[in-house]
Amino acid sequence: MSVFLDSGLFYALQNERASRHEMAKAAFETVLGPEYGPLFTNDYVFDETVTLVRARTGSFEEAQTVANRILGRRDFPSAIDVLVTDRRDFERAVATFDRYDDHSLSFTDATTIALVEARDVDHVLAFDDDFDGIVDRLDPGEIA
């Protein structure tokens, strides 16, 4: 089994004031266990997360901490493989964004779906239900 981690999870995990912080923390600890296998995210989710944390907290340090968590730097374990989007992935993401015009997907969500499909990742761990009906989503509240 493998799991792709979405930006909402990282944001709630980083921001202790977020209403879903405890749920994100428990879900993250769960997927770090051996039952869930390899963990992935991508450069678009990294960008979205770091930007969101900086904007909502107003803190460079908070943004840097979430970046370190994702990248496995400093005090954080190297547990997440950050997939970097290449030209072919980008084209897949554009096609995915166009194909699911009836969903409220961000382009970042489209890159997630394209990578999950191309790399046979089993699940997306996300609060965002826009993934439902497209890929197999794990709700952080249900696995914690």
Side-chain angles (χ1 to χ4, degrees):
M1 183 184 310
S2 54
V3 180
F4 190 100
L5 307 176
D6 189 44
S7 57
L9 176 83
F10 289 122
Y11 169 76
L13 181 62
Q14 182 60 39
N15 186 351
E16 293 179 2
R17 296 170 305 284
S19 61
R20 296 175 169 169
H21 173 72
E22 290 303 320
M23 190 183 316
K25 184 177 173 183
F28 188 68
E29 289 171 4
T30 298
V31 297
L32 282 174
E35 176 184 345
Y36 285 91
L39 302 177
F40 299 95
T41 197
N42 71 9
D43 49 346
Y44 280 66
V45 168
F46 178 88
D47 172 47
E48 186 174 75
T49 302
V50 172
T51 301
L52 182 63
V53 168
R54 177 80 188 258
R56 289 206 181 154
T57 66
S59 168
F60 172 79
E61 290 77 19
E62 290 287 327
Q64 187 177 48
T65 298
V66 77
N68 288 336
R69 180 187 313 275
I70 294 168
L71 298 174
R73 293 183 177 165
R74 301 212 177 139
D75 297 332
F76 299 102
S78 180
I80 303 164
D81 186 0
V82 179
L83 304 173
V84 176
T85 309
D86 64 16
R87 179 68 184 193
R88 187 166 22 165
D89 295 325
F90 177 77
E91 293 298 333
R92 284 188 195 116
V94 170
T96 299
F97 188 74
D98 290 344
R99 181 174 60 222
Y100 294 108
D101 64 339
D102 59 334
H103 287 68
S104 297
L105 297 176
S106 68
F107 190 74
T108 298
D109 292 343
T111 65
T112 294
I113 293 164
L115 288 169
V116 163
E117 290 175 345
R119 293 187 173 65
D120 294 321
V121 177
D122 297 307
H123 307 282
V124 174
L125 181 60
F127 290 108
D128 187 353
D129 63 5
D130 291 338
F131 292 108
D132 292 352
I134 302 173
V135 295
D136 188 14
R137 179 178 71 94
L138 297 173
D139 185 319
E142 294 177 8
I143 69 163

